[in-house]
Amino acid sequence: MIGDLLAAIDWNVVFIILLAFIKAFVIVNVLLVIFAYMTVTERKVMGRMQARYGPNRVGPFGLLQPIADGIKLALKEDITPSQANVWVHTLAPILSLVPALIIFAVIPIGPSIPLGEPGSGSEWTWYIANINVGYLYAAAIASLGVYGIVLAGWASNNKYSLLGGLRASAQMISYELPQGLAALTVVIIAGTLNLYEIVEQQNRAGLPFGLLPIFGWIAFAIYIVSGIAETNRTPFDLPEAEGELGAGFHTEYSGFKWSMFFMAEYVNMVNVSALAIILFLGGWWPAVTGIAALDGVLGPIFFTLKLAFFMFCFIWLRTTFPRLRYDRLMGLGWKFLFPLALLNLTATAVWVALWPRGWWPFI
Amino acid sequence: MAYVELKSPPPPKGLMGEIAADLEALTKGLAVTLRHLGQKPVTLQYPEERPELPPRHRGRHELERHENGLEKCVGCELCALACPAKAIFVEGAENPPEAPVSIGERYAKTYVVNMIRCIFCGFCVEACPTEALQLKRVFELADYTRESMIYTKEMLLAPAYKKEPEDSWLPG
């Protein structure tokens, strides 16, 4: 009986599932470590930009600061307002963090390395799942993150939180459009939604889409601006405008539930940056030597370097720019970025229709 | 009435001009923050690094002595009179001729400064006719109890004669 069952098991499938679990575990932990060290990096870089030091007391150069912060947050009392909807109040931070974490499943950070004899099909991959609708999946899951914020604002039973949640939903829905249209420009050029294939096309041509004459630049710029708005970072951090709303949707959150919103924000920054790198900056380019093993090792390193640059830019922008007024924020999204993205997309579509062969005519 | 007319740059022309002007402004801002990234922070790492206070900084009070060890204070109570915060209490007494405390006819029997009340204005120093009272560059006066903030004469009195021209607030 048991012998039959064991014989019926396809051990390859078991192995693949097990590997996916291990990878998921590693990715979640790496993302949370990135989050922890982004907080201290942000405070230090921001401090230096404002002619001060930032945290430097806990451990050497303040490097143990995130651990101290983590202990503090975990030990803090978790307060739920007496008039709040307890279930939704608890669910909201989870709804915010989980989508942020699972987007990374489809993000390839390096080229696959073939293993075994050629043609055997077995390979080491730097992603969990390589699905045909990779970008669609990422965009869909990213928009789920809005629910966490809206429900947090609603469940808190606090007018400031509710206003923050409403602002967040309006802002994120508004900026998803130009972001999606900018990404669609790349999808039209590449002819696929598969993130791995999009990177491969850029590397085959030796030119990232972000460097494509005019269409690529515009799409890249729109994507970045919308991406910052999507992650609710300064200068687009209207939902949590502390001056007006008293921290907005997370006013009534404390302790670990509050830190989950915090994690979601930083992991979303990583996601937006990673997608921008894949769509516009050639992913693991310039690790395209043709030697599979070398590329496979160098690829993730280059990807990480680009990611670090993007994260630095997030901090840089936060230090430099003040928050936008709410109507200006909506105006920028709907009256400027959206028409521009639409125009850019149409122009790209016409161009690709005129020269259907070869993914980019003048290379 | 004469007034200065502020000159603003000419308004940008057209949509492209506006976009260009906006981008220029954004780039300027980014350049400022990036430039600061390479500069040394102005923060003073306080417990390790000490501030360089100016010579005439108004900090903790001190009662000075003459070269022969006698107190400069003659118990005239002018400092207490000058104090706007009523932080100083002085009780003068006859200076015993056989064992003089000060050089004058009288001396300060009690001299108390309430550091919670003191506003460090320095009027007491200005009022002092004998230059007995000085405000020093000692600024770490925090403590845990109200009682410990009452500085008695023993605490305020300089242990010995000090010649510190950089501390003197009088010219010459």
Side-chain angles (χ1 to χ4, degrees), chain B residues 11-26:
Chain B
K13 289 195 182 76
L15 180 68
M16 290 320 279
E18 264 181 52
I19 292 172
D22 284 356
L23 286 179
E24 195 200 338
L26 294 180

Side-chain angles (χ1 to χ4, degrees), chain A residues 51-75:
Chain A
R52 55 188 176 85
Y53 284 100
N56 64 354
R57 295 280 140 169
V58 192
F61 304 105
L63 285 178
L64 299 180
Q65 185 72 38
I67 296 166
D69 287 345
I71 292 170
K72 185 201 79 172
L73 281 170
L75 295 180

